[in-house]
Amino acid sequence: MTSPTVDASQDRTGLIYLQLMFVMATWGLNIVSIKYLTQHMDIRALAALRIAVAFVAVTLIVKARRGRIPRLGRQELGWVALAGFLVVYAHQTALVYGLQFSSAANGTLLMATSPLLSALLAALFYRERLTWLRIAGALLGLTGVAMVVVGSGARLGLTGWGDAIVFLAVAVFVFGGLVIQRISRTLDPLAMLWYMYLAGGLMLIVHAAMTPSSYDADNWSMTWWPWLVLLFSAVIASGVSNILWNAGIARLGISRAALFVNWLPIFGLLFAALFLDEHVTWVHVAGLACILSGTWLGLRRGAPASR
């Protein structure tokens, strides 16, 4: 007979799975949203404004649940500042800049490499043994990335460089996930995200303030629809979904949580076709097949982890 404790643990894990699926759906739509918003706003102003609004939303959630922001020690502040730099400042800057030149479809496919990168980096930092399956998975995944990057005309023009910058955004996001996993041992996901957005948001605001194009009046004279898209991107995709993502990492670890990113390109390609009228070509399908196959190989347990 199963004990109540085991049942409760399974229920919590099942809830985390559902939450992570919701995160993937909102993130897939968010890539489409950011691509759309880059056509209406300066990218530095867009990145800063999204995180500033997300920070306000997270603050309201923290106040509603706890009533106060917990204080951190000096060491915890250092780790949170590093996570804020990687996940908020570097990731958001690279993602918004890359999507200005790349397509939403390419962006979602490149995001699908994060499970494989997460597994490889977790093996590196947590001393898990790298098997031939993981090496083969890495090569297959990189082949898929290359197909996506050079798929449009097989040349590196603006679209190719945009894809490369999106891939950089994925890499810094994965490194940030490793930092989140470390600090989640002593800090709950909600407080962690609040401090991350505080640190990374300040970096983005300073960056935007030093950029003359951020003061262009056209950035702030949009119609109501782009503002509504921006609110979704900031509050739901960047605020609520990142709280759920951090909770998933804390519960499952970065390698297991990253498995759900396999669903991101499926949602992203669907939303890109629906809302941006982007065409899904055989290059996208072949690249997606390579990336998902490489991820499947890379995450298989071909040998026990070394201790």
Side-chain angles (χ1 to χ4, degrees):
M1 184 175 180
T2 307
S3 68
T5 302
V6 173
D7 288 339
S9 177
Q10 291 176 343
D11 289 343
R12 287 195 297 269
T13 301
L15 179 60
I16 289 292
Y17 289 166
L18 291 175
Q19 290 174 348
L20 290 177
M21 285 296 292
F22 170 79
V23 171
M24 292 307 110
T26 59
W27 282 0
L29 183 55
N30 187 46
I31 292 177
V32 176
S33 301
I34 293 174
K35 174 63 179 178
Y36 171 77
L37 290 170
T38 59
Q39 302 168 10
H40 294 80
M41 290 189 71
D42 174 77
I43 57 174
R44 271 76 54 173
L46 171 60
L49 185 58
R50 284 182 63 249
I51 298 305
V53 175
F55 175 74
V56 172
V58 172
T59 301
L60 293 176
I61 295 173
V62 171
K63 289 292 184 180
R65 289 187 57 185
R66 301 184 180 276
R68 65 183 182 86
I69 307 297
R71 293 186 177 182
L72 303 183
R74 182 176 300 178
Q75 185 175 10
E76 289 178 318
L77 282 172
W79 282 109
V80 170
L82 176 60
F85 170 77
L86 292 171
V87 176
V88 180
Y89 176 75
H91 173 70
Q92 294 293 332
T93 300
L95 182 63
V96 172
Y97 186 82
L99 286 176
Q100 186 181 25
F101 302 110
S102 180
S103 67
N106 283 19
T108 56
L109 288 173
L110 292 166
M111 288 293 288
T113 61
S114 64
L116 183 58
L117 289 176
S118 298
L120 294 176
L121 290 176
L124 176 64
F125 286 97
Y126 296 121
R127 297 182 180 181
E128 295 181 2
R129 184 178 303 167
L130 275 178
T131 66
W132 284 108
L133 284 177
R134 288 193 172 183
I135 295 173
L139 294 175
L140 189 56
L142 290 176
T143 299
V145 172
M147 293 179 67
V148 172
V149 170
V150 301
S152 299
R155 60 186 177 85
L156 271 177
L158 284 178
T159 300
W161 286 116
D163 292 342
I165 295 171
V166 172
F167 184 68
L168 175 63
V170 175
V172 296
F173 182 80
V174 171
F175 272 107
L178 295 175
V179 177
I180 290 172
Q181 182 173 339
R182 179 185 177 91
I183 59 181
S184 65
R185 302 168 187 170
T186 57
L187 192 62
D188 72 83
L190 195 55
M192 184 195 319
L193 187 63
W194 188 88
Y195 279 104
M196 285 170 52
Y197 275 174
L198 176 62
L202 288 175
M203 298 176 195
L204 287 171
I205 289 172
V206 170
H207 189 168
M210 296 174 63
T211 307
S213 57
S214 299
Y215 301 98
D216 192 334
D218 291 339
N219 290 321
W220 314 102
S221 58
M222 299 185 298
T223 60
W224 65 273
W225 178 249
W227 285 110
L228 186 62
V229 172
L230 190 145
L231 283 176
F232 160 79
S233 178
V235 177
I236 305 300
S238 295
V240 175
S241 291
N242 273 295
I243 293 173
L244 299 178
W245 174 250
N246 287 358
I249 292 177
R251 175 77 177 178
L252 305 177
I254 182 62
S255 292
R256 290 178 63 197
L259 282 169
F260 286 85
V261 183
N262 288 334
W263 288 89
L264 179 59
I266 298 173
F267 288 117
L269 289 175
L270 174 63
F271 291 134
L274 286 176
F275 297 112
L276 296 181
D277 196 28
E278 292 187 3
H279 299 291
V280 179
T281 68
W282 70 268
V283 175
H284 291 118
V285 175
L288 176 61
C290 287
I291 291 169
L292 295 184
S293 299
T295 298
W296 179 74
L297 286 176
L299 295 180
R300 291 188 66 188
R301 296 182 180 274
S306 60
R307 300 293 182 185

